[in-house]
Amino acid sequence: MISVFENLTKDEFELKLEQQAGSTFHKEADMFVMFILSHGDRNSIRCRNSSYEIDKIVAQFNDQKAPNLANKPKMIVFQSCGGPLRDQGHHYDNDEEPGQTVSNWRD
């Protein structure tokens, strides 16, 4: 099952986390994977109107709050900016792209 949610407020985000954690769909699942793409910093991600702590997200999927996921692998991937620090990148020259600057964290 794939669910996509966009531009949620903090309250909407928390409700979606609770719904996902308590879903009966997970009874038949072998594992759980969630991707969160947002702005953020080292300890939180940005919702539309506020921040939400990463520790609270992870805790939402513990065995007590997500009993249908107990003893199953869980993977939560956070893709967000790193806060106020800027990636200055690095400069390189090659035959195809002379004088390019690319991110230090380029995939």
Side-chain angles (χ1 to χ4, degrees):
M1 176 175 77
I2 297 175
S3 302
V4 177
F5 309 106
E6 296 181 21
N7 203 23
L8 301 176
T9 66
K10 183 177 181 178
D11 289 342
E12 292 168 338
F13 181 70
E14 189 164 40
L15 178 62
K16 294 299 182 190
L17 288 175
E18 290 170 2
Q19 290 171 343
Q20 288 296 314
S23 174
T24 57
F25 175 81
H26 302 310
K27 282 182 180 180
E28 302 302 320
D30 294 324
M31 67 177 297
F32 175 77
V33 179
M34 180 170 61
F35 292 86
I36 298 175
L37 289 68
S38 181
H39 294 281
D41 59 35
R42 186 182 263 326
N43 301 310
S44 65
I45 58 103
R46 281 289 296 161
C47 297
R48 188 171 62 206
N49 62 338
S50 186
S51 293
Y52 201 90
E53 295 175 15
I54 290 172
D55 288 344
K56 287 178 70 174
I57 295 168
V58 174
Q60 191 66 46
F61 295 92
N62 67 29
D63 289 353
Q64 288 180 320
K65 292 185 178 182
N68 293 325
L69 290 171
N71 299 314
K72 295 179 182 179
K74 298 166 220 36
M75 180 171 60
I76 302 174
V77 178
F78 297 92
Q79 172 61 49
S80 65
C81 60
L85 300 176
R86 302 208 33 98
D87 179 358
Q88 300 301 318
H90 66 275
H91 182 78
Y92 75 96
D93 288 310
N94 68 29
D95 293 337
E96 296 173 12
E97 302 177 86
Q100 295 296 312
T101 300
V102 298
S103 168
N104 287 321
W105 302 105
R106 184 175 176 177
D107 295 338

